[in-house]
Amino acid sequence: GASPGLMASSAPSSSAAEMDPNTANLRQPATTGDAWYGVAHGCTRKLGMKICGKFQPTSYQSVGSLNVPKPKAPLSMLLLLSAIKSCRLLMFTYEIAPVFVLMEQLTLKKMREIIGWPNGDGDGLFSPGGAISNMYSVMVARYKYFPEVKTKGMSAAPRLVLFTSEHSHYSIKKAGAVLGFGKENVILLKTDERGRVIPADLEAKVTDAKQKGYVPLFVNATAGTTVYGAFDPINDIADICEKYNLWLHVDGAWGGGLLMSRKHRHKLSGIERANSVTWNPHKMMGVPLQCSAILVREKGILQGCNSMCAGYLFQPDKQYDVNYDTGDKAIQCGRHVDIFKFWLMWKAKGTIGFEQHIDRCLEISEYLYNKIKNREGYEMVFEGQPQHSNVCFWYIPPSLRGMPDGDERREKLHRVAPKIKAMMMECGTTMVGYQPQGDKVNFFRMVVSNHAVTKSDIDFLIDEIERLGHDL
Amino acid sequence: GASPGLMASSAPSSSAAEMDPNTANLRQPATTGDAWYGVAHGCTRKLGMKICGKFQPTSYQSVGSLNVPKPKAPLSMLLLLSAIKSCRLLMFTYEIAPVFVLMEQLTLKKMREIIGWPNGDGDGLFSPGGAISNMYSVMVARYKYFPEVKTKGMSAAPRLVLFTSEHSHYSIKKAGAVLGFGKENVILLKTDERGRVIPADLEAKVTDAKQKGYVPLFVNATAGTTVYGAFDPINDIADICEKYNLWLHVDGAWGGGLLMSRKHRHKLSGIERANSVTWNPHKMMGVPLQCSAILVREKGILQGCNSMCAGYLFQPDKQYDVNYDTGDKAIQCGRHVDIFKFWLMWKAKGTIGFEQHIDRCLEISEYLYNKIKNREGYEMVFEGQPQHSNVCFWYIPPSLRGMPDGDERREKLHRVAPKIKAMMMECGTTMVGYQPQGDKVNFFRMVVSNHAVTKSDIDFLIDEIERLGHDL
């Protein structure tokens, strides 16, 4: 695979040119003067918005905290920067944000290609975070099977049930509560010791629900769980969804970024069989929050599900193709423009740059795992190398090391991570998260998503844990 | 009232010191070294985050497109700017964004004080836009009256109905569809000729729904409708809500800003009787999108409605008061930090500055209204001075001026505004929205929310309409 590195150069490395069956959809980084610039430029010209005239020298410096690269196509870039200033980062119709609408459509298509949907066909939106993207997936599934709910409400449908693992993100359960299914109709699936759904448990629970007269509707498979970083076996789950005619959603909010890596994307094998996918570039890919995509395989269904056809916004008698008025697909009205920073970052780093970013983060996590797996005073929460960059471990202070397992040790160990974290915050040196999980007492969860983290940062973290925790 | 002007000076004008019964809650602008800076500074110090050490000279310039004022309390300001850089504009727990959590709480309290709720008590959140804020209001109303829906779904409740006017924003209907009520259970209320709800129609439809065995739950009163800028009579609606025990929501997404103006806030008279309020500082107050608040009078109900108590985020054994972990109130997980730009703008302009901004926008709209109300070739869509800055009018080209009313004239007039707007876009000179409404054919709707708009801009708009439309 590609060698890790810091900010990617725009030229692909030689190893990047090797073909790999995992990555038929991975494209080489764009070169100077590519189609996207052309589209953006052509579009603003065609509209005759004269945004050129609004360009001021200062606007180039004022694009927030992005590292703006030396533009390859200065005129287009300046047009874009001017466009940002002039539209106050708002989008719902094409006329209010033509360039951003096109950027969004092209980028979503590229993401769908990377997922593996034929020709990148389908639909999608950027939404205000993974929880909302997951909520969209449940809404769309409901509309697909019970479209009358939109008009008549949940009472028009039988008792519908959703399935997701006990390690999945709480937003699936929250969507169940918000959308009127009810929390208790979100059925939690058992996982193996590494946090991956057990497919047989899904099938058993689907069968059980049907026997009770409920209607199984939707299954969420997580690609990169929050705590363990586990990847559910998508192909096995997809087989069950096909057998029982269920909507398959893949929550790749955290793990979707691995699709960009030829080395790691096999962990999402089967994702092309999903009906919908959540993928947050603002997580593993380092795009500033918020930047979350909901991607849907069936074209037109987001529109059908959510459109209200408000006459004051979406007039049919405009002088352009109103299919570009994407706002009525959303549950929002005006939307924040989340696409531009992502698009710009993609232009700057290239597809290969994202791959290197991700490979680098996983390499650093592997370094941490290898450093502590056999180190005195550490216990891993699960066996074997983590699938994602999540490394979950207990630090055992010397006072607990000889103690036999039992309630006393568990209670004491439960208090170790909170104490060390509190001391870290008081010292102001570093900070690392902890949580319990199931019957496991509080453990640290170190996650790397910043490719600038170095091995010496990891060494420092371990030194700090031992310095602060030694006398507990 | 205060005299209009451009960017407010920080010193209150002498007229601002006059007391006015409408504005017991309006405060003078803050002066140097006020409590908020203290809180922000103290909080970051207490946490020992050492963010001082991360400050770099460049970060002062990199705060997007806000006009950053010369800081009155430089150290705090630098701490804040550093905080932005270090937390990547993400919030859900106190530890991840302590300053922003406090800013949000203090600002929401101030907004509740301005609404008129005693001591500013209550609850609230910033959400990704008015549509989502309105959705929160319906969710909270449902939880208040039928808390079991959270667990068991909509089938645990009787057939619930929502009421909103035919001129209200489509997000109320959308919320009905999304949350499982069904669009047809969102009942539209008749309005008078100026777009204001007719209270008697509300009472008739509530009675009618009860007679059919449905359960009226929620009434939305709009403060500033999208098209006409109309303000529903909140007090009359509140009387009916009290009589029938209904949740009263005020959608002040567009008109809420008028609460900042002693001259105009009487249009929202009665808003203090609402159970919840949507108020978007990103609309009339000129804050960059996204910045929308949902404010709720009853404390704790947002938490009850939405909490899922995810153990990996919201641990009870943290070393600070976990009531500051506000994330579980939201339907999102990580939230974009929408508060900082608003807070900073408030510090820069002061309460009086916002008042001047709003008074200025309404004065410019009044100038437009007075200019065209008796001008040849113009017809107003409704009689009398608009309540908000929306001015709705038809331009009648000379070829239609002598034509008797009838289908032919209506059809021709319907095509005038789209044609003029298309020509404006081709010329790139200006742009103004149009839409039909009910049985009224396409008309222009000019809205002013930018206080930098001048009378000569308005003159130019009218000149353009006449130049482009003269020969239609």
Side-chain angles (χ1 to χ4, degrees):
Chain A
S3 58
L6 293 178
M7 200 73 170
S9 63
S10 60
S13 65
S14 61
S15 66
E18 294 163 17
M19 280 309 290
D20 178 320
N22 266 325
T23 55
N25 297 308
L26 256 192
R27 301 221 173 145
Q28 298 304 316
T31 52
T32 307
D34 83 338
W36 290 17
Y37 277 116
V39 168
H41 189 178
C43 145
T44 48
R45 271 198 9 194
K46 183 153 186 288
L47 275 172
M49 299 284 278
K50 290 197 180 168
I51 55 181
C52 265
K54 294 191 187 163
F55 174 70
Q56 293 154 1
T58 53
S59 65
Y60 185 61
Q61 277 82 42
S62 66
V63 192
S65 58
L66 282 176
N67 293 314
V68 181
K70 191 169 163 47
K72 293 169 186 170
L75 179 59
S76 296
M77 188 66 77
L78 300 184
L79 282 166
L80 295 172
L81 294 177
S82 300
I84 297 174
K85 283 185 75 112
S86 59
C87 80
R88 288 184 58 226
L89 292 163
L90 167 69
M91 63 195 294
F92 45 87
T93 59
Y94 178 74
E95 66 198 327
I96 209 81
V99 177
F100 298 135
V101 165
L102 295 178
M103 275 184 181
E104 190 176 84
Q105 294 206 350
L106 287 163
T107 307
L108 289 168
K109 185 176 167 67
K110 206 169 176 73
M111 294 172 86
R112 290 190 299 260
E113 285 171 3
I114 290 168
I115 285 170
W117 290 336
N119 302 317
D121 281 347
D123 212 336
L125 271 179
F126 283 87
S127 95
I132 304 276
S133 291
N134 284 340
M135 197 170 94
Y136 271 115
S137 74
V138 178
M139 288 166 58
V140 169
R142 178 173 68 181
Y143 182 74
K144 173 72 179 174
Y145 290 93
F146 298 95
E148 60 274 26
V149 169
K150 179 178 179 181
T151 306
K152 296 184 176 302
M154 286 296 274
S155 61
R159 182 164 168 176
L160 303 175
V161 288
L162 318 173
F163 300 88
T164 191
S165 99
E166 57 196 18
H167 274 244
S168 70
H169 192 262
Y170 68 91
S171 54
I172 301 291
K173 207 185 245 191
K174 204 165 245 192
V178 168
L179 302 178
F181 293 83
K183 270 200 306 179
E184 70 179 23
N185 294 312
V186 181
I187 297 182
L188 298 186
L189 305 173
K190 282 192 195 138
T191 62
D192 65 18
E193 69 292 347
R194 294 180 54 116
R196 297 170 297 204
V197 155
I198 298 169
D201 191 57
L202 169 62
E203 183 153 20
K205 283 174 174 158
V206 167
T207 310
D208 182 58
K210 287 167 79 82
Q211 278 170 355
K212 287 177 179 155
Y214 310 155
V215 176
L217 176 75
F218 169 99
V219 178
N220 172 59
T222 306
T225 60
T226 311
V227 177
Y228 284 16
F231 288 77
D232 287 340
I234 302 176
N235 271 315
D236 295 344
I237 295 169
D239 290 342
I240 296 167
C241 288
E242 282 172 16
K243 183 170 168 187
Y244 294 96
N245 192 27
L246 309 176
W247 185 276
L248 173 58
H249 175 66
V250 172
D251 176 5
W254 171 225
L258 270 59
L259 291 168
M260 307 299 282
S261 161
R262 281 165 289 195
K263 188 172 170 188
H264 296 289
R265 69 168 278 142
H266 68 89
K267 295 167 186 172
L268 295 101
S269 181
I271 192 170
E272 71 284 356
R273 298 172 66 186
N275 299 97
S276 55
V277 171
T278 292
W279 176 356
N280 290 10
H282 74 219
K283 291 191 188 285
M284 195 59 193
M285 291 165 75
V287 177
L289 195 116
Q290 61 194 37
C291 188
S292 169
I294 173 66
L295 300 142
V296 181
R297 198 168 61 191
E298 182 175 327
K299 212 169 183 166
I301 197 168
L302 269 172
Q303 181 79 21
C305 177
N306 293 320
S307 68
M308 293 287 149
C309 301
Y312 78 95
L313 274 180
F314 307 111
Q315 303 90 8
D317 49 4
K318 290 179 179 175
Q319 104 284 24
Y320 59 84
D321 178 355
V322 294
N323 284 319
Y324 288 107
D325 284 355
T326 54
D328 214 15
K329 290 184 199 178
I331 58 170
Q332 303 179 269
C333 180
R335 280 188 296 142
H336 187 263
V337 173
D338 299 327
I339 182 59
F340 181 64
K341 58 199 169 193
F342 179 33
W343 183 90
L344 197 60
M345 193 181 262
W346 206 330
K347 296 303 287 186
K349 300 181 73 152
T351 302
I352 298 297
F354 277 127
E355 176 178 58
Q356 289 174 334
H357 173 132
I358 280 151
D359 288 351
R360 170 71 175 171
C361 291
L362 269 79
E363 193 198 53
I364 289 289
S365 300
E366 191 180 347
Y367 173 79
L368 169 61
Y369 168 72
N370 286 327
K371 183 180 174 102
I372 61 174
K373 68 178 174 184
N374 297 317
R375 188 181 179 95
E376 192 184 4
Y378 291 83
E379 281 179 29
M380 304 312 293
V381 173
F382 56 84
E383 292 294 306
Q385 189 175 323
Q387 291 185 281
H388 205 329
S389 78
N390 308 43
V391 181
C392 296
F393 62 93
W394 289 283
Y395 170 70
I396 321 287
S399 68
L400 297 184
R401 286 181 201 168
M403 193 179 287
D405 201 9
D407 284 351
E408 191 192 342
R409 184 177 185 273
R410 282 174 53 82
E411 278 160 29
K412 286 190 167 167
L413 186 56
H414 190 58
R415 289 194 294 270
V416 168
K419 278 185 192 157
I420 291 175
K421 182 176 168 192
M423 286 188 282
M424 284 174 169
M425 288 169 84
E426 290 292 337
C427 294
T429 49
T430 185
M431 195 154 69
V432 56
Y434 69 84
Q435 67 286 298
Q437 170 82 38
D439 60 355
K440 294 185 164 59
V441 300
N442 279 325
F443 55 86
F444 285 121
R445 169 177 53 120
M446 179 64 195
V447 174
V448 177
S449 64
N450 179 350
H451 71 279
V453 171
T454 62
K455 291 179 182 174
S456 70
D457 291 327
I458 297 295
D459 294 341
F460 176 77
L461 175 74
I462 295 302
D463 288 347
E464 274 298 281
I465 288 174
E466 294 176 358
R467 179 176 76 85
L468 297 167
H470 189 268
D471 296 329
L472 290 178
Chain B
S3 59
L6 293 176
M7 199 72 169
S9 63
S10 59
S13 66
S14 61
S15 64
E18 292 162 19
M19 279 310 291
D20 178 320
N22 265 325
T23 56
N25 298 306
L26 257 192
R27 300 219 174 147
Q28 297 304 315
T31 52
T32 308
D34 83 337
W36 290 18
Y37 278 116
V39 168
H41 189 179
C43 144
T44 49
R45 268 198 11 194
K46 183 155 188 285
L47 275 172
M49 299 286 276
K50 290 194 177 169
I51 55 181
C52 265
K54 293 189 188 164
F55 174 70
Q56 293 154 1
T58 54
S59 65
Y60 185 62
Q61 276 82 43
S62 66
V63 193
S65 58
L66 281 175
N67 292 315
V68 180
K70 190 167 162 48
K72 294 170 186 170
L75 179 60
S76 295
M77 189 64 80
L78 300 185
L79 283 165
L80 295 172
L81 296 176
S82 301
I84 297 174
K85 284 184 75 112
S86 59
C87 80
R88 289 184 56 225
L89 291 164
L90 168 69
M91 65 194 294
F92 45 88
T93 60
Y94 178 75
E95 65 197 330
I96 209 81
V99 177
F100 298 134
V101 165
L102 295 177
M103 275 183 183
E104 190 176 84
Q105 294 205 350
L106 287 164
T107 307
L108 289 169
K109 185 176 167 65
K110 208 171 175 70
M111 293 171 87
R112 290 189 301 260
E113 285 171 4
I114 290 168
I115 285 170
W117 291 336
N119 303 315
D121 281 348
D123 212 335
L125 271 179
F126 283 87
S127 95
I132 304 275
S133 291
N134 284 341
M135 196 169 93
Y136 271 115
S137 74
V138 179
M139 287 166 59
V140 168
R142 178 173 68 181
Y143 182 74
K144 172 72 177 172
Y145 290 92
F146 298 95
E148 60 274 24
V149 169
K150 179 179 178 181
T151 306
K152 297 187 177 299
M154 287 295 275
S155 60
R159 181 163 168 177
L160 304 174
V161 288
L162 317 173
F163 300 88
T164 192
S165 98
E166 58 195 17
H167 274 244
S168 69
H169 192 260
Y170 67 91
S171 54
I172 302 290
K173 207 185 245 193
K174 205 167 244 192
V178 168
L179 303 177
F181 293 82
K183 271 199 306 179
E184 70 180 23
N185 295 310
V186 182
I187 296 182
L188 297 186
L189 305 173
K190 282 192 195 138
T191 62
D192 66 17
E193 70 293 347
R194 293 180 54 115
R196 296 170 298 202
V197 154
I198 298 169
D201 190 57
L202 169 62
E203 184 154 18
K205 282 176 175 157
V206 167
T207 310
D208 181 58
K210 287 166 80 83
Q211 280 171 352
K212 287 178 179 155
Y214 310 155
V215 176
L217 176 77
F218 168 99
V219 179
N220 174 59
T222 307
T225 60
T226 311
V227 178
Y228 283 16
F231 289 77
D232 287 341
I234 302 177
N235 271 316
D236 295 344
I237 295 169
D239 290 342
I240 296 167
C241 289
E242 281 171 16
K243 182 171 171 187
Y244 294 96
N245 191 28
L246 309 176
W247 184 278
L248 173 58
H249 175 67
V250 173
D251 177 4
W254 171 225
L258 270 58
L259 291 168
M260 306 298 282
S261 161
R262 281 166 289 194
K263 188 171 170 190
H264 296 289
R265 66 169 280 140
H266 68 88
K267 295 168 186 172
L268 295 102
S269 182
I271 192 171
E272 70 285 355
R273 299 171 66 186
N275 299 97
S276 54
V277 172
T278 292
W279 175 356
N280 290 9
H282 74 219
K283 291 191 188 285
M284 195 60 193
M285 292 166 74
V287 178
L289 194 119
Q290 61 192 44
C291 189
S292 168
I294 172 68
L295 299 142
V296 182
R297 198 169 62 191
E298 182 176 327
K299 211 169 183 166
I301 198 169
L302 269 174
Q303 181 79 21
C305 178
N306 293 321
S307 68
M308 294 286 150
C309 300
Y312 79 94
L313 274 181
F314 306 110
Q315 304 91 7
D317 49 4
K318 290 180 180 175
Q319 102 286 23
Y320 60 83
D321 179 354
V322 294
N323 284 319
Y324 288 106
D325 284 355
T326 53
D328 215 13
K329 290 183 198 176
I331 57 169
Q332 303 180 267
C333 180
R335 278 189 297 141
H336 188 264
V337 172
D338 299 326
I339 182 58
F340 181 63
K341 59 198 169 194
F342 179 33
W343 183 90
L344 196 60
M345 194 180 259
W346 207 330
K347 296 301 286 186
K349 300 181 73 151
T351 302
I352 299 295
F354 278 126
E355 176 179 56
Q356 290 174 334
H357 173 130
I358 281 150
D359 289 350
R360 170 71 176 170
C361 291
L362 268 77
E363 194 197 54
I364 289 289
S365 300
E366 191 179 346
Y367 173 80
L368 170 61
Y369 168 71
N370 286 328
K371 183 180 175 103
I372 61 176
K373 68 180 174 183
N374 297 317
R375 190 181 179 93
E376 189 183 6
Y378 291 82
E379 281 178 29
M380 304 311 293
V381 173
F382 55 86
E383 291 295 306
Q385 190 174 321
Q387 292 185 280
H388 205 329
S389 78
N390 309 42
V391 181
C392 297
F393 61 93
W394 289 283
Y395 170 71
I396 319 286
S399 67
L400 298 183
R401 286 182 201 168
M403 194 178 288
D405 201 10
D407 284 350
E408 190 192 343
R409 184 177 185 272
R410 282 173 54 81
E411 277 160 31
K412 286 190 169 166
L413 185 55
H414 189 57
R415 289 195 293 271
V416 168
K419 277 186 196 156
I420 291 176
K421 182 176 168 192
M423 285 188 283
M424 285 174 168
M425 289 169 83
E426 290 292 337
C427 295
T429 49
T430 185
M431 194 154 69
V432 57
Y434 69 85
Q435 67 286 298
Q437 171 83 38
D439 60 355
K440 295 184 162 62
V441 300
N442 280 325
F443 54 88
F444 284 120
R445 171 177 52 119
M446 178 65 193
V447 174
V448 178
S449 64
N450 179 350
H451 71 278
V453 171
T454 63
K455 291 179 182 174
S456 70
D457 291 328
I458 297 295
D459 293 341
F460 176 77
L461 175 75
I462 295 302
D463 287 348
E464 275 297 282
I465 288 173
E466 294 175 359
R467 180 177 75 86
L468 297 168
H470 188 270
D471 296 328
L472 291 178

